[in-house]
Amino acid sequence: MYKSGINNGNYKCSGKKTGFLEDVTVSENKYLGADNYLMKVFSENVKKQVTNPKAGQFYMLKLRNHIRILRRPISLHSVNFKTGELEFLYKVIGKGTEELSILQKGSILNIQGPLGKGFDIYKKSENIIVIGGGIGLAPLKQLIKELLKYKENKNIIFIAGGRNKEAMNILENFLLDSKRVSTFICTDDGSLGEKLNIAEMLEKILKNNKNPDIIYSCGPDKALKAVNDIVNRKNILSQISMEERMACGVGACVGCSVETVSGMRKVCHDGPVFYSSIFYENRGEINGN
Ligand SMILES: Cc1cc2nc3c(=O)[nH]c(=O)nc-3n(C[C@H](O)[C@H](O)[C@H](O)COP(=O)(O)OP(=O)(O)OC[C@H]3O[C@@H](n4cnc5c(N)ncnc54)[C@H](O)[C@@H]3O)c2cc1C
Ligand code: FES
């Protein structure tokens, strides 16, 4: 159990630190179109560097409706360590995310995190590819920020896909003005960028460029399976951020386990970011489908 109030200490599970619980204050919760929202919150834990969230990690957000007792996992979209601001980019798909969408400026939200293993950051590369589809773009803003911190990362190719132009409004908040980032947009209906899915866009880019040092991706299951197939076939180092329905979010309930070449792995604890190669023999079986 936790006490309410800012910075109320560690949450412990099996004697191991599993994350922090904190009441944060919503400073903005803006509709971006296509059921997507951008929520900004102030975190005392981040400001005081009690927590140090990294790209690819996630938070479990508590709902107020006591019937929906399970928290909802949402990725870190961006963090500002100077101001203590955390950003979450989320899509309303059910009752839980709908409840998040009605939070107003000044609302208090209880968050648990940062949780899970994030992306391994490359520090020196000729070419990196970052791929996101739909709301899978959420963790990639922070990822690109962290990659850009290293001047030795010369070129980042960012492939962003979505259903249509409206769904791509989420890119407005991505700060993509660095000369080192080349952005390729694709949509299912061709209303913005090329009429391709993200895996097709990746194939096209790989045809015209030499293989990158690493590929990072996050997106819908089907797209991730296709990307995984490509990178494993071409033997390119790659990390993917996986999604599974979560109950505890801290490795206690095994509810989020997925099959890999080396046995079952918990997405919340061993991931959500994994090296693609661990799914190689299970091609087509990401998420256990
Ligand atoms: C590690 C992690 C990070 C995530 N990051 C983000 C993020 O940054 N932004 C964002 O919008 N969403 C993110 N999600 C997905 C998000 O957690 C779900 O959309 C949310 O929990 C749905 O809650 P709900 O109450 O609105 O929907 P529910 O009523 O619980 O479900 C509605 C429908 O969505 C499906 N669904 C619910 N949860 C998931 C899930 N985790 N994966 C696949 N399908 C699901 C259900 O099967 C059902 O069909 C993340 C999930 C994980 C596991
Ligand atoms: S959600 Fe409980 S172990 Fe992952």
Side-chain angles (χ1 to χ4, degrees):
M1 294 297 286
Y2 66 90
K3 289 184 229 119
S4 67
I6 288 170
N7 190 11
N8 42 29
N10 293 355
Y11 175 78
K12 304 243 177 190
C13 171
S14 315
K16 198 174 157 198
K17 191 174 85 180
T18 52
F20 292 87
L21 289 161
E22 186 188 7
D23 281 343
V24 293
T25 312
V26 175
S27 53
E28 194 177 332
N29 197 12
K30 186 167 128 194
Y31 184 59
L32 302 177
D35 297 329
N36 296 318
Y37 287 77
L38 174 69
M39 181 159 66
K40 297 184 182 180
V41 302
F42 171 73
S43 159
E44 191 90 30
N45 276 352
V46 170
K47 182 91 196 284
K48 290 186 174 161
Q49 295 181 0
V50 177
T51 54
N52 184 20
K54 300 259 185 341
Q57 289 190 296
F58 66 99
Y59 284 82
M60 295 294 276
L61 274 47
K62 187 172 164 60
L63 306 174
R64 288 183 183 173
N65 184 321
H66 296 298
I67 300 167
R68 289 186 277 281
I69 47 168
L70 293 179
R71 290 169 178 262
R72 298 303 194 264
I74 300 290
S75 304
L76 170 73
H77 182 46
S78 180
V79 55
N80 183 329
F81 291 102
K82 278 193 195 133
T83 62
E85 187 175 76
L86 288 172
E87 292 183 357
F88 298 110
L89 182 69
Y90 64 96
K91 189 176 194 72
V92 171
I93 61 155
K95 295 281 181 204
T97 42
E98 189 184 325
E99 194 188 310
L100 293 176
S101 75
I102 56 172
L103 292 177
Q104 309 262 324
K105 185 176 175 177
S107 300
I108 303 295
L109 172 70
N110 189 267
I111 63 173
Q112 180 187 12
L115 296 169
K117 292 197 177 69
F119 293 104
D120 287 344
I121 298 298
Y122 239 58
K123 297 183 179 165
K124 191 174 179 192
S125 69
E126 287 299 316
N127 261 314
I128 290 174
I129 299 185
V130 174
I131 309 171
I135 199 62
L137 286 160
L140 305 183
K141 176 178 175 183
Q142 183 62 24
L143 173 64
I144 292 172
K145 273 169 58 180
E146 289 181 19
L147 292 170
L148 284 174
K149 265 192 220 156
Y150 298 93
K151 292 203 168 52
E152 295 79 9
N153 283 333
K154 294 196 182 138
N155 183 32
I156 297 168
I157 294 174
F158 176 39
I159 301 175
R163 263 189 221 163
N164 52 35
K165 191 176 172 195
E166 192 192 3
M168 302 311 284
N169 286 349
I170 52 185
L171 291 178
E172 280 169 18
N173 179 47
F174 261 73
L175 317 167
L176 294 169
D177 45 5
S178 166
K179 282 190 185 134
R180 287 183 286 152
V181 182
S182 334
T183 305
F184 295 82
I185 295 177
C186 50
T187 48
D188 296 344
D189 67 358
S191 52
L192 192 71
E194 294 201 50
K195 193 174 178 208
L196 295 173
N197 66 42
I198 51 173
E200 290 165 343
M201 188 63 129
L202 173 65
E203 293 256 41
K204 187 172 169 182
I205 284 172
L206 288 176
K207 254 185 215 157
N208 302 328
N209 289 276
K210 70 178 185 65
N211 284 351
D213 301 273
I214 186 164
I215 295 182
Y216 300 97
S217 52
C218 184
D221 287 356
K222 235 176 149 183
L224 277 189
K225 279 175 193 162
V227 168
N228 223 50
D229 260 2
I230 297 167
V231 297
N232 283 329
R233 217 179 332 112
K234 291 186 181 280
N235 210 13
I236 303 171
L237 186 68
S238 155
Q239 287 199 308
I240 55 171
S241 177
M242 301 267 302
E243 256 195 35
E244 260 306 319
R245 299 214 73 181
M246 289 183 182
C248 71
V250 295
C253 73
V254 297
C256 64
S257 300
V258 288
E259 201 182 344
T260 74
V261 286
S262 41
M264 300 302 281
R265 289 284 180 275
K266 295 173 194 168
V267 173
C268 67
H269 183 263
D270 305 319
V273 176
F274 294 95
Y275 280 95
S276 302
S277 52
I278 72 162
F279 298 108
Y280 194 35
E281 283 171 20
N282 291 325
R283 278 181 299 176
E285 290 185 21
I286 294 176
N287 272 357
N289 293 330

